[in-house]
Structure formats: structure tokens, C-alpha cells
Amino acid sequence: MFDRLSERWRRALIGAVAVHLILALFIGVSLSSKPTPNQLAVQPQKEVVQAVAIDEQRILKEMERRSSLEQAKVRKAEASKERLERDAARAKKLRKQEERKMAALKEKRRAELAKKKREKALAEKRAKEARAQEQQRVAKLKEQQKRAEEERLQQLEDARIAAQKAAFEKSLAEEQSRLQQEANRVQQRKLALEKNRYVALIREKVVRNWVKPSGTNPGDSCKVLVHQIPGGDVIDVKVTACSGSVAFRNSVERAVFRASPLPTPATKELFDREIEFTFTP
Amino acid sequence: MIKKIQKLILLWVAIATVTLSSELQARLNIEITGGVEGGLPVAIVPFAWEGDGKAPEQIGAIVKNDLARSGQFAPLDSDKMVGSPSTGKLIDFSLWRQTGIDNIVVGRIQQQGQDQFVIQFQLFDIHRAVQLSGYSIPTNGALLRQTAHQISDLIYEKLTGVKGAFTTRIIYVMVDSAEQARSYRLAVADSDGFNEQVILSSKEPLMSPSWSPDGKRVAYVSFEAGHSQIFVQRLADGRRDVVANYSGLNSAPSWSPDGKQLALTLSKDGNAEIYILTLESQKLVRVTRSYAIDTEATWNPDGKSIVFTSDRNGKPQLYRVAIVRGAAKGRAQRLTFEGRYNARAAFSPDGKQLAMIHLDQGGYRIAVMELKSGNLQVLTDTTLDESPSFSANGSMIIYATELGGRGVLSAVSSDGRAHQRLQMNEGEVREPAWSPYLQ
């Protein structure tokens, strides 16, 4: 990429130089085609040739005229001399002007060249600066990209580590919960066994104490709510639902009272102040 | 996906755990099945006597015997009692609880005058230590036993929920079969056989006494005129009237539930048939028409049918015929199919059961059939039982049987569990009938 960029720059540079050269040439040509101060100095000699014509009669006149002419001529020569001097002065002045103009032009060209040179140098400097800037920018960009990439990788790494950690913690938690549940299950099985035993003990004692009235209908059923206190002493028996006779109902209440104190459980958790009994003959 | 499954599993485990623990935490419900059938253990402490000299009656003992006879109670033996409280305040409940009783009855007899007494009694729940019943009943010497039976009724009803029938009476025929002085007596006694009163004596047979539904009259068969006649006698003043005196057999009277009619067996039209006699109008309606013997009619307490014994199929069996406006409607339906002899039916007061004499391998025994199911239960193990009759509350059946060659009265609880022979005077006793509730 850098190569390609520099290639482009080089081409632009060459183009710029070429344009400048062409421009300089053009300016030079237009300067040399301008009229020179020498050509301007010849023009007054052509006017002198036109005043040549002579006649006898006219000699005197002529002579006079000639003398006048001579005089004229002298005046004229003097005028011409004056004029020539004037012209020469003017030409000198012109030349000087021209010279000044040339010098100014030259100065201007030099200045332009210098300016161009300066500009070129400036442009080069700028180009250089731009290149440097570009390089800097690119470098910066590259740096940024590099940093971004590094950051991205870091983030990925962090995320990976975090995920790993989370997964580990999760599995740990799961394992702990599984162990807890297993422990609970064991405890519950134990409790269930104890409960079964407890229930069996109570049942046995109540059945042993249940004296049913004669002629109890096999379809009868009586539910009682028994209130006991720790130690198993029966405090109260309430019949909650009973389909049998009064005698049957009474026998059920009595059975619970007679079984008092009820057996107590091995585990306190199993003890409940209220127990429901369902009596069926 | 796997996470989801894991989540689901966790969720399930959580739910299962919660369910399990909630199951454990739920109120214990214990199913009780079995138990033994038996009498209710009750202590009837001998009633204290607060008067001059000796107590005129052992009230506690009368009550105790009543309750025991019913089969519903198992009274505590006297030697197992742990005290003799006469009022509730004197009961040591925890001590009595150890004797295994559920209820205790205490009481006292206070002499108020020459022949005036007040009997106080209290019934307690031994477990809850609360009084269930308590009365103070004034009485006199002649009514002491009656008052005791009244107390039995109150206790019985309180503890079983069924009205007691100890104050009812029984009627029966006593036979003195001595060669030279054969005599028949119609007697009425308390339900325990005491307080016997002879209401009629005759040299000729007396048979088939039957109580009117109000308990004020009895119908019976007497041969005093040399042939059978049916009488209705008022108990209050002994006035008696012949209500059936037809040619041939006049037998087996049975009162309709409204007391206005008698079902009878007459042979005036050839052989023994069932008739309905309206007492006031003397109008007679024939119920059965068969060439066989139809006899021993008994009214269903609802008045809508009559059950009788017939040998129309060769052997005596029970049949039922519907009665509409004093006349038979439709054909009689056979009720008994078990055994080759089923006779002398008696309805339970609720109309659901029939007591009868049933012949099985061992002999003629009292059996009870549930009409709805047709199930037959033999209650006795004696051999020559006859004349079963339900107590007014249906809990007992009185019947006559033979013991040592002579007729005696026995009672059996209607479940067949409690048997008791009634103490009677010398002589043979036959054909008992148990009164309805008496006002």
C-alpha cells in the first residue's frame, strides 16, 4: 500500500515539474519577440531623404532660398541635431526604461522563479509533510487497529476466562445442589421411614384400643382431628366427618383417647400437634 | 439446549423436593381399620343409699344389667372398681382411666319420705372428664325399678344415639303343666323380666299375645270357651272383648300400625287363611286364598304390607303381600329361600329386618333377614327357639326357647352378640312379645 501511494506521489510530482517547465518556456518566448530599442532608433533617417528638388530661376530664390534653406538646413540640422539628441535622449531614456523594464522583468522572473522554487519547496515540504502526516496517520491508524485488535483479543480472552470461570462455578453450584439434594433425599427417606414407623406405632395402638359397637356398617367411615401435646397425650378429639352411628362415632373418639399417650416419633420434626385419623371398620 | 435440559432437571428436582417436604409437613393422616367389636366399657358405680336402713333397690345393679343385656356395653366388674364415688366431684378420673373404661355412671338414692325417693345420677366421659348427662328423678318404692330402667334409657341414648327401650315391657304366656292342675297365665313384666304381673289366668291354653301399637292393649288367643277365640284386653283396667269367634281356628292376631285393625288367621272358609279385621266395624276382609296353610301374619310398620307364613310350596316359608286400603293387592311374594323352614316373622321397628324361626342343621333358631339384601343371619345356637319379637328400638330380640326341658325367655342383641336369659319364676314360659315404647 505504501508503495502504491508513493508511486502516485512520484507521478504527480513529475507532472507538476513538467507543467512548470512548459510554463517557463512560454514566458521566455513571449519576452524575446518584443521590439528591441535599435529598431526604434532608425525611423527618423527616412524622413530626411524626401527633401531634394532644384531650379535656376529659382537659383536666387534658390540661392536665397538656399541660403534660407541653408539656414533652414542649419536650423533644420540643428533641429535635427536637437531632435536627434532628443531622440537619442529619448531612446536612451527608453533604453533605460527598457533596461529597467527588463531588469524588472528579470527581477520578476527571478522572483517568480524564486517564488516557484519557494512554492515548489513549499509544495515539496507540504507533500513531505502530507506524506509524513499520512505516514503518521497510517501509523496511527495501524497503531489504533493494532490496539483495537489487541483489545478485541483481550476481550475475547477475558470473555473466555469469564465463561470458563462461570461454567466452573455453575458446575460447582450444580454439584453442590446435587449433593444437597442427595442429602435431602437421604434425610427425607430417613424421615419417611421414621414416619412410617411412627404411623405404624400410632395405628397399632389406636386399633388395639378401638372397640367398635356391634353391627357396625362396613361402609361407615369417621374422620377425627386429634390434638396432642409433646409426649403424645391426647388433649382433644374432634369428629370432622362421620357417616356412621353415634355409637360408631363415640367408639372412634374413645379409641383415640384410650390410645393416649400416643407413641412419639424418633424425630421431633415428625411430631405434629394435630393428627387426622380415618376410621373404617 | 443442554442448559435448558439442565434447567428443567433442576426445576424438576426442586419441585420434587418441595413436594416431598410438603408431603412430610402435611398433617399426618392415619388410616385405622379393624378394631374389635365389643361392648362399650363403662363403670356403673353402685348407687349410694342416703336413707334409713337398707337400700330398697340396687339401682346401680339394675342399670348395669340393663346395659349389659343390650350387648352394647361391657360394664366393669365390681371387683375392678377403684372407688365408689357417688357424685362427679368424687371421681378420680386419672385413676378410673386406668381401668380401661370410657364412661362412668355415679349416683345416689336419697330418701325423702316414707316411700319417697330422689335418685340422682351423672354420666361422665372419663377421658375428657366432662359430664355427659345428669338427672335428679323423684320416685317411690313401687317405681324404683322403673326409674332405674329410665336411667338406663338415658345412658343408652346418650352413648349410642339410639333411644333406649329398657322401660318397655314384655308379655308372655306361663304354663304350669302339672298333671292335675294345668294352668295358663298371661303375664306382663319389665324388660328385664322383673315386676311380673299376671293379667289373665286360665285352665285352657292362652296363646299368641300381641301388643297394640300404643302399648295399652293386648290381643291374644284363648281356648277358655273350649275353642279358640281372639280377645283384646285393656291393660289399664283389664277389660277384655272377644273380637274373633269364628268357627274353626281363630289365631295369630297382629295389630296394624294404626291400631285399628288386626290381621288374623281363620279357618272358617276351609283351611287357615289370613284375614284383616277392622276392630270398630267388625268388618272382615280375606287376604290370602290358597289350599295351603297361611298364618302368623305380621304388619310391616309402614302398614303397606303383611308378611305371613305359608306352606304353599310344601315347606313353611315367609311371603309378603301388599295391603292397600285394608285389602290385599296382587300376589304374595316369597321372601325366604334359605333353609327348608322359615316361619313366625316379626318386623324390626324400622321395617328393614325380619326376625324369624329358621331351621338349619342344628335346629329351630332365631335368624334375622335384611329385607333389602335378603341376607340371613342366624343369631342363636339353641335348638327350639320360637316367637321372636324386637325391642322397640330394634336393638334386641326376645324369644322363647327350651332349656332343660322347659320353656324359658331369652334375649339376643339384634347383631347376635349378646345373649341373656331372663330370670323368671318357676314354670314354663312361652310366646313373648315386646311392647312398643310406652308413654
Side-chain angles (χ1 to χ4, degrees), chain B residues 185-313:
Chain B
R185 282 172 291 167
L186 197 58
V188 174
D190 289 351
S191 63
D192 59 356
F194 284 80
N195 273 347
E196 181 182 273
Q197 292 167 295
V198 175
I199 62 163
L200 183 69
S201 293
S202 174
K203 294 274 177 205
E204 300 303 327
L206 295 171
M207 293 168 68
S208 308
S210 170
W211 290 92
S212 67
D214 61 5
K216 288 175 177 166
R217 290 173 292 171
V218 288
Y220 55 85
V221 176
S222 172
F223 281 78
E224 65 197 63
H227 61 272
S228 63
Q229 289 173 304
I230 294 174
F231 286 80
V232 168
Q233 181 170 338
R234 260 197 332 231
L235 291 175
D237 56 9
R239 182 187 150 175
R240 53 202 290 264
D241 296 302
V242 175
V243 296
N245 186 16
Y246 299 95
S247 63
L249 192 67
N250 295 271
S251 71
S254 169
W255 295 81
S256 65
D258 62 5
K260 291 176 180 170
Q261 293 169 316
L262 282 179
L264 315 164
T265 300
L266 304 175
S267 63
K268 66 182 183 71
D269 298 319
N271 73 333
E273 301 286 351
I274 310 288
Y275 295 79
I276 291 172
L277 173 71
T278 302
L279 288 170
E280 198 140 300
S281 63
Q282 290 290 303
K283 187 184 152 201
L284 196 66
V285 174
R286 185 170 170 175
V287 173
T288 59
R289 289 172 196 279
S290 76
Y291 294 105
I293 292 170
D294 298 324
T295 185
E296 297 169 350
T298 181
W299 288 81
N300 188 323
D302 68 6
K304 292 176 181 169
S305 64
I306 281 173
V307 169
F308 59 96
T309 307
S310 174
D311 61 356
R312 58 185 66 186
N313 281 308

Side-chain angles (χ1 to χ4, degrees), chain A residues 20-40:
Chain A
H20 280 100
L21 281 176
I22 290 162
L23 265 171
L25 234 118
F26 179 72
I27 291 166
V29 168
S30 55
L31 278 177
S32 58
S33 65
K34 276 187 179 164
T36 60
N38 293 336
Q39 286 168 320
L40 290 170

